[in-house]
Amino acid sequence: MESFEDTEDPFPIAKKSKKKQGDGFKGMGLSHSILKGIQKRGYKVPTPIQRKTIPVALQGRDMVAMARTGSGKTACFLIPLFEKLKGRVAKSGARAMILLPTRELALQTLGFIRDIGKFTDLKSCMISGGDNMESQFEAIHGHPDIIVATPGRFVHLCVEMELKLNEIEFVVFDEADRLFEMGFGEQLKDICARLPKGRQTLLFSATLPKSLVEFTRIGLSDPVLIRLDVESKLSEKLECNYIWCRQEEKTSVLLCLLRKLAEMHANRYEKPQIIIFAATRHHVEFINTILGLANITSTYLYSNLDPSARKISVGKFRNRLVQALVVTDIAARGIDIPEVGVVINYHFPATPKLFVHRVGRCARAGKSGEAYTFTTKEDIPYLLDLHLFLGKPFDPSQLGRVPADLLEEDQALLLEWHREKADLESMENVCNNGYSKYLKSKPGASNDSIKRSKQLALSVNTSHPIFGTDITKEGDDLLKRMKNYKPKATIFEISNFGVKEMKQKRSYHEGAIASHRKRGQNEPIPTAKSKRIKLRADDNYVPYLPEDHHSEFGLAVNNFEQAARKVGMDVMGDEEKHIQLQDRMKKWDSRKKKMVGQKTTQKKIRTESGVWISATYKTGKYKQWKDKSKADEQDDDDEEEGGARPDNRQLQIRGWKNAGPGKGKKVRSELKRPEQIHKVREKKLRAMEKSKKKKPKGKGKPRRK
């Protein structure tokens, strides 16, 4: 596998063309329609990752590309895609396919396709979960040139429609590591088995590990590896801030921070948009409600939200109708909103890689940005892991508090809202319960970071620089003295019982207690085990871990150690629905005379590609849609041939089925022509007039004598 690092540029033509404004893309030999779309999109000079990847992709080589978030990776595969497809070919099937992990990222990529490919006649469609399958059946029958899809729904359509992907020439896996992390390995294997061998495959991601086994298994042929900005995982224009607080203070700290940011950016023409990341959807709804009470326009987004509602929320934020977007980690990857200037981590990210993706929503494309992370005492091990991952030393002076006087104002305001709004208290209780469940599933920090955090014993008493003045020195000294004060009297001396005996014991062991405290302040007490390790590490022990061990460990996708931590033995379900599910999984054994567990093997079917997948993918919806819409078994042509003869779809509308040479069987169509509709209406009007004439006017029934 060839590799291009960021030390030298293997394509000097693109580098020389960068000297003139706007000549970077022209030096790549692109067609006029694509260059026009690039200029319409607003791209002037290619980014470093674009200068290295686009020429390689234009040569037809398979490629694995890694660059930090916000570097313009989407254009890296769209521009070669348009150049390779050239123009529309209506009779053939799809010729390019882009697979992405989330619906929001698919919508964003579809928007890029329509912008850059505006002056080409290429047709594209999106296939994702949550949309109507009948409309997706119709989109596939329209012979799109480019399919933008999420793996789960696309496999469902492949199995339902028995799709043949023989015409695919160009395949892109965007956010490749996330595709494997989300459990799409089985679906990707089935899709790759359906693809032709002569295709070109590109993999893109912001964080790719060195071990590319999982990615090369999906069918890359002699790929080129391009890794840029590997050492600096975060943008140089991103300012990271950490605010020390307690768990119960986070909401009031958030209000203080938002008010301070409004003051800092008051002179700007447009206020920066803010993304707030929370751990659970309950916190997302709670924070959105609090922001509404604080007169801060906001919307929210999480995975369980309706797809149309998710689309509306992103649209509001993208069009600057609201200032803040409260989200879970569903929006941590790929979402590109250029005006985002601030990212707030309400909860500390579970992994360092997730932190990189979260804060990467701002400081994109050369712009500056700010990231604020709320840090509690329990988050210190994760903070240490993060700095090991980034390769930067941790400085305790980076942590700062919100001044007490500012915090008390917002805490009093929150208490008042809780008294006025009865729903807030119940929402907060739900958040606390959800957070306790979230902590059970949260991956733990490394053991070394946990030990180091205990040795640090941080006590942050200074205010954060963005809040201006620090806490007074006298108050700082007083807090330190209060924290370090340890009374000599024991609990046994609170009452009069045993006072004399305890004083005698203390005077007898006073020397040992003093030496123990002195050792505790300077260094931990040595044990036999630590002595052996120290002797071994000094002279005779050779470290075997590489220098970038922490970085690669954080980037790993299917790491055995991470997976082993999540493995546990469930003795009993912790929720009512889980307990009921366990009861339903049992059946009566007549031989053993008791209820026994039964095997829960999900039914599988073997696809044409030879991959075993879940049987739920074959539901028969496509056959029902074909019978309902009178669609042909063969693909329909959307365009007329030469403008003289109508295509099959138009012939079907006129009442002909399987139109073609030797096929002229007339069938009844469900669609009516305008003259047929007028004829039915006139017939009804004549019947109504005829019935009125027959009815006698002003005469009732004769009375009986």
Side-chain angles (χ1 to χ4, degrees), residues 5 17 23 27 101 134 168 177 251 256 524 547 565 571 583 653 698:
E5 299 292 339
S17 61
D23 288 345
E134 294 185 355
I168 295 290
D177 57 342
T251 307
C256 290
E547 293 182 357
R565 288 183 181 180
V571 180
D583 293 339
I653 293 174

Side-chain angles (χ1 to χ4, degrees), residues 466-481:
I466 67 166
F467 293 102
T469 58
D470 290 340
I471 301 174
T472 60
K473 187 177 180 181
E474 293 79 6
D476 191 6
D477 294 339
L478 178 61
L479 289 173
K480 286 183 179 179
R481 289 198 303 270

Side-chain angles (χ1 to χ4, degrees), residues 325-341:
L325 176 66
V326 190
V327 296
T328 56
D329 290 326
I330 189 176
R333 285 176 177 258
I335 301 298
D336 180 29
I337 302 175
E339 299 302 323
V340 174

Side-chain angles (χ1 to χ4, degrees), residues 289-513:
T289 305
I290 293 295
L291 295 182
L293 295 173
N295 296 324
I296 300 173
T297 56
S298 64
T299 184
Y300 59 94
L301 179 70
Y302 53 82
S303 59
N304 291 345
L305 203 62
D306 184 76
S308 58
R310 287 162 62 174
K311 186 177 180 180
I312 292 171
S313 295
V314 175
K316 283 182 178 179
F317 188 68
R318 194 184 295 274
N319 296 324
R320 302 188 67 90
L321 299 178
V322 295
Q323 184 184 0
L325 176 66
V326 190
V327 296
T328 56
D329 290 326
I330 189 176
R333 285 176 177 258
I335 301 298
D336 180 29
I337 302 175
E339 299 302 323
V340 174
V342 178
V343 170
I344 299 175
N345 291 315
Y346 188 86
H347 293 107
F348 204 95
T351 60
K353 184 165 59 172
L354 186 56
F355 179 89
V356 172
H357 284 293
R358 279 188 181 184
V359 300
R361 298 311 98 207
C362 65
R364 300 173 68 86
K367 296 183 179 180
S368 59
E370 303 171 12
Y372 297 90
T373 305
F374 297 167
T375 308
T376 63
K377 185 178 179 181
E378 293 76 15
D379 297 328
I380 295 300
Y382 294 94
L383 182 60
L384 297 175
D385 276 344
L386 173 63
H387 280 77
L388 288 173
F389 175 76
L390 298 176
K392 298 179 180 179
F394 171 67
D395 186 6
S397 62
Q398 295 176 343
L399 290 169
R401 284 182 176 273
V402 178
D405 53 346
L406 298 178
L407 199 61
E408 287 175 359
E409 295 178 6
D410 288 294
Q411 285 178 337
L413 188 61
L414 285 172
L415 290 174
E416 184 179 351
W417 288 343
H418 276 72
R419 286 194 297 267
E420 294 177 356
K421 306 287 183 179
D423 295 341
L424 283 180
E425 188 174 355
S426 61
M427 290 179 70
E428 193 170 17
N429 292 333
V430 172
C431 289
N432 294 333
N433 294 334
Y435 188 68
S436 62
K437 299 289 179 60
Y438 165 76
L439 290 177
K440 294 180 180 178
S441 62
K442 184 178 179 180
S446 64
N447 295 331
D448 294 337
S449 296
I450 294 174
K451 292 178 182 178
R452 189 180 168 200
S453 65
K454 292 178 180 179
Q455 293 176 359
L456 285 175
L458 288 175
S459 59
V460 181
N461 299 314
T462 57
S463 65
H464 198 277
I466 67 166
F467 293 102
T469 58
D470 290 340
I471 301 174
T472 60
K473 187 177 180 181
E474 293 79 6
D476 191 6
D477 294 339
L478 178 61
L479 289 173
K480 286 183 179 179
R481 289 198 303 270
M482 291 175 62
K483 181 176 179 61
N484 297 327
Y485 174 71
K486 292 182 179 181
K488 294 183 178 180
T490 61
I491 191 173
F492 300 103
E493 299 176 59
I494 295 176
S495 60
N496 294 328
F497 177 76
V499 176
K500 184 178 180 181
E501 290 80 358
M502 290 303 299
K503 286 183 178 180
Q504 292 176 356
K505 288 283 186 183
R506 187 182 298 110
S507 62
Y508 180 76
H509 296 289
E510 189 172 359
I513 294 172

Side-chain angles (χ1 to χ4, degrees), residues 181 211 214 549 552-566:
E181 286 177 358
S211 55
E214 292 291 340
H549 163 70
E552 290 300 322
F553 181 78
L555 293 176
V557 176
N558 293 325
N559 185 274
F560 173 77
E561 185 175 347
Q562 292 178 350
R565 288 183 181 180
K566 300 179 181 179

Side-chain angles (χ1 to χ4, degrees), residues 108 114 142 174-176 181 197 220 317 363 419 434 445 463 466 506 562 586 602 628-629 653-654 700:
Q108 177 180 293
R114 290 171 179 171
D174 196 12
E175 298 292 344
E181 286 177 358
K197 293 183 179 180
L220 276 76
F317 188 68
R419 286 194 297 267
S463 65
I466 67 166
R506 187 182 298 110
Q562 292 178 350
K586 294 182 179 180
Q602 191 177 19
K628 181 180 178 181
S629 60
I653 293 174
R654 298 179 187 178

